Amino acid sequence: MSLFLHNIIRIEIAGSLRRRKETIRDIDIVASCEIDKREDLMSFFTSYVESDSIVNKGITKSTIILDTGISCDLRLVEDNQFPFLLHHSTGSKEHNTSMRQRAKSMSLTMNEYGLFPTNQELSLSCKDEEEIFSKLNLSFIEPELRENYGEIEKAEENILPSLITLDDVKGLFHVHTTYSDGTFSIKEMADYCQKMGFKYLGISDHSKSAFYANGLSEERIKQQHDEIDKLNEEFDDFTILKGIESDILLDGQLDYSDKILSTFDFVIASIHSGFQMSEEAMTDRICKALSNPFVSMLGHPTGRLLLGREA
């Protein structure tokens, strides 16, 4: 691996993975190197130990199938072409189309190899993606926003939203422990959250209707709350919050009385069954649950399972 990286000038993940899509079809990698290093780099890539097969091997592009079944592409270019290929390979297709149209309106031709003034073979020089956007009079558009949902127009006006980063996250709310179907205890979860620099942890184990997930009875809720109180006495700059993931029943009621719900710091209301209801009936069901004064948030609101169940 050190030999591989030694011969690389720049390398980035591209495609839907870089855009942080919920699901991806393949993995795209873009890299720049000297021309005489390409053959060695492609040989290293296609001999990757966790690959299952080689689809194709070339000097500028190779494709392998990983042992997970996912296809992985590596494309190599000279370093001056790297920003253009990275932008092109990141996509989305719709975003790229709109970017090319904008370039054309400015008498420029944009593709994966450069940004060319009309009737010229030499591309404008752009050391990175930021300069590409700048040449088109746009502020930089983060990969996650490149879906042609209006991001180009907002970049023109310099009013793009700031994206949430890991540094913005101060704690977690939707957490299961060994009290229901989680793997770790409350203390283990709290200790790890503190190592991550979080300020709070909201415990929200399954409620009693989720018998399949060892949901909490009223008696075990009291036991858990007592444990949380004792643990909180040990912390100076960290707080464990008492929560529950309460099931929304078919009629929109929650599976605990308001008296029990009032003992929590927060309540997540979630649907875990009855997904075949009509849209109207499901909407009424959820709205009724959310009208409960003790409900703080709606859990997994679409009900989808990625690659398994539609919203």
Side-chain angles (χ1 to χ4, degrees):
M1 178 61 76
S2 60
L3 178 63
F4 179 80
L5 293 177
H6 179 72
N7 290 325
I8 290 290
I9 300 173
R10 286 189 276 182
I11 185 168
E12 289 283 354
I13 292 291
S16 55
L17 184 57
R18 187 173 182 231
R19 300 201 319 275
R20 303 293 195 270
K21 299 296 289 183
E22 297 95 331
T23 60
I24 64 169
R25 291 186 302 174
D26 50 27
I27 298 171
D28 298 290
I29 303 173
V30 174
S32 63
C33 67
E34 300 296 336
I35 293 178
D36 61 355
K37 303 295 185 182
R38 289 178 178 177
E39 187 171 353
D40 288 343
L41 289 170
M42 286 305 189
S43 293
F44 182 92
F45 174 71
T46 54
S47 62
Y48 180 55
V49 66
E50 294 184 23
S51 66
D52 180 69
S53 60
I54 300 172
V55 177
N56 65 274
K57 179 182 177 182
I59 296 299
T60 59
K61 180 180 178 180
S62 293
T63 303
I64 60 176
I65 303 296
L66 301 176
D67 54 16
T68 57
I70 297 177
S71 174
C72 182
D73 292 341
L74 172 63
R75 292 196 60 181
L76 299 177
V77 291
E78 295 178 50
D79 197 58
N80 64 319
Q81 296 175 330
F82 179 83
F84 303 103
L85 180 60
L86 177 61
H87 177 270
H88 176 85
S89 300
T90 296
S92 66
K93 184 183 300 183
E94 295 77 12
H95 169 85
N96 287 353
T97 298
S98 290
M99 287 287 284
R100 288 194 297 269
Q101 291 172 346
R102 181 175 181 84
K104 185 177 180 180
S105 71
M106 300 172 67
S107 300
L108 296 167
T109 298
M110 183 177 186
N111 58 35
E112 59 197 288
Y113 302 109
L115 189 60
F116 304 90
T118 301
N119 300 323
Q120 293 190 26
E121 296 183 1
L122 188 64
S123 169
L124 299 178
S125 176
C126 294
K127 69 177 185 295
D128 50 32
E129 282 188 317
E130 283 83 352
E131 282 202 6
I132 296 176
F133 286 105
S134 179
K135 289 286 196 299
L136 297 175
N137 296 328
L138 300 172
S139 57
F140 178 72
I141 301 175
E142 295 287 352
E144 294 93 323
L145 298 176
R146 300 179 195 176
E147 302 293 342
N148 199 34
Y149 290 159
E151 71 275 7
I152 295 175
E153 292 78 6
K154 284 183 168 53
E156 183 177 35
E157 298 179 42
N158 197 28
I159 55 171
L160 285 166
S162 298
L163 300 187
I164 294 172
T165 69
L166 188 58
D167 290 338
D168 296 314
V169 180
K170 303 304 179 186
L172 304 173
F173 281 110
H174 199 145
V175 169
H176 300 326
T177 72
T178 49
Y179 269 89
S180 60
D181 61 344
T183 306
F184 297 98
S185 68
I186 297 176
K187 187 176 189 314
E188 288 173 320
M189 299 285 278
D191 287 344
Y192 196 79
C193 281
Q194 290 178 81
K195 289 180 182 178
M196 294 181 70
F198 291 164
K199 298 297 184 183
Y200 62 85
L201 170 66
I203 301 297
S204 52
D205 279 297
H206 279 290
S207 59
K208 63 181 181 180
S209 293
F211 57 88
Y212 52 86
N214 194 30
L216 273 64
S217 64
E218 283 81 352
E219 294 76 14
R220 294 178 63 227
I221 289 173
K222 177 64 166 61
Q223 177 188 347
Q224 184 181 78
H225 286 185
D226 289 343
E227 180 178 344
I228 290 174
D229 286 337
K230 290 178 182 178
L231 287 171
N232 275 331
E233 292 176 1
E234 303 175 11
F235 305 135
D236 294 324
D237 192 28
F238 186 81
T239 302
I240 303 175
L241 300 169
K242 302 169 184 173
I244 195 75
E245 184 181 17
S246 184
D247 266 38
I248 300 175
L249 304 178
L250 293 176
D251 62 357
Q253 297 287 344
L254 300 186
D255 60 346
Y256 291 121
S257 68
D258 284 356
K259 181 179 179 181
I260 296 296
L261 294 175
S262 69
T263 66
F264 295 98
D265 294 316
F266 69 98
V267 173
I268 301 173
S270 298
I271 287 178
H272 292 111
S273 61
F275 289 102
Q276 303 307 314
M277 297 174 71
S278 68
E279 182 177 331
E280 182 179 4
M282 184 67 86
T283 300
D284 290 343
R285 178 184 177 188
I286 291 174
C287 288
K288 184 174 182 179
L290 295 181
S291 69
N292 186 299
F294 297 105
V295 171
S296 312
M297 58 194 85
L298 177 64
H300 39 77
T302 71
R304 67 177 177 164
L305 294 176
L306 292 177
L307 304 178
R309 183 173 65 209
E310 292 298 319

